[in-house]
Amino acid sequence: MNQIKKPLTLIATLGISLVLTACGGGSSTTESTASTLPLAKIDASNQEAVTAALFDSVDITTPRLPVADAAADESSLLAKVLPNATATASVSDGEAVNCTQGGTLTSSLLDNISVITYEGCKESNTTVNGEIKISYDNTAKEITYTLSDYSLVSGHESYTTPSTVYKVSAASVSYTTTGKVVSGETTTEFDNYRYSLNLVENKVAISIDGYVKPQSLENWIALKTNNVMQVAEDTCPLSGNLEAQGDTSKLGVTFANDKSVDVMLNGTLAQEYENCEGLPQG
């Protein structure tokens, strides 16, 4: 199941390489309007859409850094800037550099925090606006990306966030984010969405919490992890309980050690699956 397997690759593709970056310390928080969000009514007519939205939320909300969406050409300015051990080597402190196809990129260093500001910076089919601060905790061996008033448009997809904090180490990935993704004609919004992945021996522990509003629903659903998902690579979860809360309604998904999955609607068993491959997908 793509929604389960894809997050596992973050450790290999991000955690191991990003921990080599050397920057300073720093922290930030995200703003949320969650208390005022109208919730959708969850019932039999939309339970599959809610189940799909619960798991799709991981891929959709994952922060888009320029290097992840820039052209494969390593000479790309965006690819040079993030996220490697010479994050600002191609740009002198305070200097604005013209991007290949328009716009500028400016780098600065403040209190050992690298600050990269994009103004319509276009490389290949990717355009970036906003600010990314990069800091590094040498004790925890953890890198933090703080995105502010940031957007990335690549092809037919756009990612926009007023505030996101993204932390990566060799054994963990976490982020807190508010924003919106438009892919083709499909729009998904998210508010105070929190994702956590931790590598423990040969298993990965995943939790998600926060609010999402997929296009398939008129209003929001609140996601909650009651018991952390335990996943062995390339398999379905072996345990865990996730919940989507709506307007006086809720949907729960429970994973068992035999890889079976139970979906509960308002406390009543609504659907049983032999394994996670059968779960609805968006």
Side-chain angles (χ1 to χ4, degrees), residues 64-104:
R64 272 67 157 176
L65 297 179
V67 70
D69 298 83
D73 182 3
E74 293 183 359
S75 66
S76 166
L77 180 60
L78 293 179
K80 285 183 178 180
V81 172
L82 287 173
N84 52 56
T86 56
T88 59
S90 61
V91 184
S92 299
D93 185 20
E95 177 187 358
V97 173
N98 292 326
C99 300
T100 303
Q101 297 180 359
T104 60

Side-chain angles (χ1 to χ4, degrees), residues 30 32 123-124 149 153 170 175 220 228-229 248 263 277-278:
T30 61
S32 171
E123 297 277 321
S124 185
D149 296 325
V153 179
Y175 59 83
W220 297 75
V228 173
M229 283 194 298
T248 63
V263 176
E277 298 290 344

Side-chain angles (χ1 to χ4, degrees), residues 19 103 185:
V19 73
E185 298 181 355

